[in-house]
């Protein structure tokens, strides 16, 4: 049974995220500097443009980089920065092919602990600590991937009942709560920056 995912807020795109580990990873990779739904509907758009019903790490890794960038740049573009994101998606797929035989699920399938899983996620191209922790929380909360200590390894994103990230989205209402939390964090960071600047003046 595939988990019910509501990250793209589009039935077909969310269904793909639910059944395809690679689509989930690519969606998380794309989730920066664009609205979350735009990022997570990206894998479905890419698969559709490739004429497939899923993403294939081997196929994406082997594509001509310019051709793949053009595919992501077609209107509507898959991301605000389709060229650089095309590069990142290919880097991720090449890494998966080299390290995991092209099987995205192998990244987490046998991870014995949350700490080990976090280390594996952080080793992926394009995944810094925060992105890795959010994806770890997403795996635990939505996909049922729960190695020992996964909540602790995911840091604040692993907390139960929080509305901090993609991991906490179960529908439009929770999406609105996560968005409000992100805006609060941005405002707080801005205020802190202003206060520091005032102190230094």
């Amino acid at each position: 049974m595939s988990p019910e995912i509501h990250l793209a807020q589009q039935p077909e795109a969310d269904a793909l995220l639910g059944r395809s580990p690679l689509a989930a990873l690519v969606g998380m990779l794309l989730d920066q500097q664009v609205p979350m739904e735009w990022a997570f509907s990206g894998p479905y758009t890419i698969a559709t443009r490739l004429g497939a019903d899923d993403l294939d790490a081997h196929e994406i890794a082997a594509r001509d980089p310019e051709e793949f960038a053009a595919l992501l740049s077609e209107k509507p573009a898959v991301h605000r920065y389709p060229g650089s994101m095309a590069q990142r998606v290919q880097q991720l797929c090449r890494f998966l092919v080299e390290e995991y035989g092209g099987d995205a699920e192998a990244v987490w399938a046998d991870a014995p602990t949350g700490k080990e899983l976090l280390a594996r996620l952080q080793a992926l191209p394009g995944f810094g600590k925060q992105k890795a922790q959010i994806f770890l929380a997403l795996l635990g909360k939505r996909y049922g991937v729960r190695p020992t200590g996964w909540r602790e390894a995911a840091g604040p994103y692993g907390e139960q009942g929080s509305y901090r990230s993609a991991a906490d989205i179960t529908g439009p209402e929770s999406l609105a709560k996560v968005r409000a939390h992100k805006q609060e964090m941005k405002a707080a960071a801005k205020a802190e920056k202003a206060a520091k600047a005032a102190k230094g003046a």
Side-chain angles (χ1 to χ4, degrees), residues 71-146:
L71 189 92
L72 269 68
S73 304
E74 275 175 37
K75 298 263 184 292
V78 167
H79 194 274
R80 182 177 291 156
Y81 304 109
S84 60
M85 279 308 182
Q87 254 181 330
R88 287 188 176 199
V89 171
Q90 284 196 295
Q91 279 168 353
L92 174 66
C93 289
R94 282 188 205 112
F95 183 86
L96 291 171
V97 167
E98 284 161 21
E99 301 294 326
Y100 296 98
D103 178 10
E105 194 172 7
V107 176
W108 55 84
D110 63 349
T113 63
K115 199 175 170 184
E116 164 68 19
L117 179 48
L118 181 64
R120 289 186 193 184
L121 292 169
Q122 277 188 259
L124 298 173
F127 278 68
K129 187 177 181 187
Q130 186 186 36
K131 197 179 274 290
Q133 284 189 314
I134 292 171
F135 193 74
L136 176 50
L138 180 67
L139 287 173
K141 291 179 178 182
R142 302 286 151 247
Y143 290 86
V145 177
R146 295 171 183 146

Side-chain angles (χ1 to χ4, degrees), residues 16 20 22-23 25-27 29-30 42-52 54-69 71-72 85-97 102:
L16 177 62
S20 167
L22 180 56
L25 266 183
V26 170
L29 180 71
L30 294 171
Y44 179 73
T45 307
I46 296 169
T48 306
R49 289 179 186 173
L50 289 170
D54 194 358
L55 299 179
D56 181 319
H58 290 276
E59 189 196 348
I60 292 171
R63 284 239 154 202
D64 174 74
E66 282 182 23
E67 193 188 294
F68 191 63
L71 189 92
L72 269 68
M85 279 308 182
Q87 254 181 330
R88 287 188 176 199
V89 171
Q90 284 196 295
Q91 279 168 353
L92 174 66
C93 289
R94 282 188 205 112
F95 183 86
L96 291 171
V97 167

